[in-house]
Amino acid sequence: MTDVSPPTRLWGARFSGGPADALSRLSMSVQFDWRLAPYDLLASRAHARVLHRAGLLTDAELQRIVVALDELDHDARHGAFRPTPEDEDVHTALERGLLERVGVLGGKLRAGRSRNDQVATDLRLYLRDHVRQIAGRVAELETALIEQAERNIDVPAPGMTHMQHAQPVLFAHHLLAHVHPFVRDIARLRDWDRRAAVSPLGAGALAGSSLPLDPDAVATELGFSGAAANSIDAVSDRDFVAEFLFCAAMIGVHLSRLGEEIVLWTTREFRWVELDDAYSTGSSIMPQKKNPDVAELARGKAGRLIGDLMTMLVVLKGLPLAYDRDLQEDKEPVFDAVDTLLLVLPAVAGMVSTMQVNAQRLTETAADGFALATDVAEHLVRKGVPFRDAHEAVGHLVVWCTVHECDLGDVSDADLAAVSEHLTPDVRDVLSVDGALSSRGAPGGTSPKRVREQLDSVRERVHTHAAWATDS
Ligand code: ARG
């Protein structure tokens, strides 16, 4: 170790005294931005190489700096190097670490860059990495839903609108309806990734550098598709943060809608599914209780994910170009959204893959609430009755059945005729759940054939997404 007294600040020469404690406490971000350390070190290595190519570091100096940065990376990952309360932020802490290892030579690395372009770069690197992890967890949840759909491929279920029985559907069709939103979520993350693949490094504080650096080479080395086209935009742009937070909030909303349904499905009133004990909780007072807390927390976490997005949008609104310290507020919502999703997604996937579907209950109730009424009306339409009249005739039949406490198929020929001249005995031909399901064979419909096709195509999409998530 070279003998230099470690600096605790990256600025200060023009100030007569040290900062007030209150300022230091307010200003400090190292307690949360320390997790950017591996990404800051990646960017530092690329920057060292660009300084070397520009003739600003000798071969030997580059070598010493890169070795020290590797060591620092190792020590930071293993806790041997830690930030101290005097380090304002991750950049300060790592510069101290470098100076501790290579002495004054470490001071050369700051040439041509600023914390403004550094922090914007670090956050992009961090997010591009974590977005892949999130996509991987979303793909696991999709797989859990697809496998449940497969296991219950022939099970009919009540289909609802307004939470009222509407028309029978395949339960697999309903489960797959929860997969498509997540498929769009991953597509959105991939699309986000293309736009986020821009490197701010080289923008310096805001105006670029007078040193002969090569921002495009740095961008390529860091896996970006290119360097930012405008140095002012490079340091002030946080669209990639807001967009990510929107994607995260949307995943949260989808998890919440799924969670809400699972809560309902597990009630005594529904009894559609039973959760595995490993994914249920008990009550401290009521010994009989089995609660769907995973589903409820999935629903609840949407609140904080939406809040994270709101925080960022409000911070950005009205912010003048280029860098302002307000931008330091971007990190906590990002970390919170990432942590929240990585926490909740595996729990929901586990709950879905282990839940027991009550096929008997679903089958028995699929046609409840006169859910085949539309099939009767459409049968009449095929016989030439205008839909308006068919709708009215079946409406009267429903009232008749309600009053007589019977189902559509229980009405005698004479009573059918008494209700409406259109209601001939052949209407009973369409009063079967299986018939209703298989008749809905248009693309996107709930017929068993269409649902099987859908299952295959969605499984294909999930494979591609899972592959993208693991490909770094
Ligand atoms: N901790 C700061 C942030 O997160 C780093 C950039 C500081 N830049 C500055 N000019 N003070 O935004």
Side-chain angles (χ1 to χ4, degrees), residues 337-355:
V338 167
D339 292 347
T340 299
L341 288 177
L342 292 179
L343 191 65
V344 73
L345 283 163
V348 176
M351 169 181 66
V352 168
S353 68
T354 55
M355 71 188 188

Side-chain angles (χ1 to χ4, degrees), residues 247-267:
C247 297
M250 203 69 237
I251 296 172
V253 167
H254 294 148
L255 287 169
S256 176
R257 295 184 74 175
L258 173 63
E260 164 65 8
E261 292 210 336
I262 291 178
V263 169
L264 283 171
W265 296 348
T266 56
T267 58

Side-chain angles (χ1 to χ4, degrees), residues 281-291:
T281 52
S283 154
S284 57
I285 176 169
M286 297 164 285
Q288 85 286 7
K289 286 300 290 290
K290 183 169 174 183
N291 293 329

Side-chain angles (χ1 to χ4, degrees), residues 30-53:
V30 76
Q31 68 281 20
F32 53 80
D33 68 17
W34 180 241
R35 68 163 96 183
L36 295 177
Y39 305 96
D40 199 73
L41 288 163
L42 272 179
S44 285
R45 289 187 192 90
H47 187 64
R49 280 190 269 273
V50 101
L51 289 175
H52 172 250
R53 282 199 294 276

Side-chain angles (χ1 to χ4, degrees), residues 290-372:
K290 183 169 174 183
N291 293 329
D293 288 26
V294 172
E296 292 171 308
L297 284 167
R299 194 175 56 191
K301 296 285 185 195
R304 62 192 295 160
L305 290 166
I306 294 166
D308 291 332
L309 169 63
M310 288 308 125
T311 300
M312 191 67 242
L313 290 174
V314 176
V315 167
L316 289 177
K317 184 195 168 296
L319 210 58
L321 303 177
Y323 177 85
D324 304 277
R325 194 58 182 277
D326 316 43
L327 289 174
Q328 181 166 295
E329 291 297 310
D330 60 358
K331 279 169 279 302
E332 285 164 293
V334 162
F335 298 152
D336 183 69
V338 167
D339 292 347
T340 299
L341 288 177
L342 292 179
L343 191 65
V344 73
L345 283 163
V348 176
M351 169 181 66
V352 168
S353 68
T354 55
M355 71 188 188
Q356 284 297 325
V357 173
N358 187 343
Q360 191 188 341
R361 168 89 178 151
L362 286 166
T363 308
E364 280 167 8
T365 54
D368 274 8
F370 308 111
L372 296 170

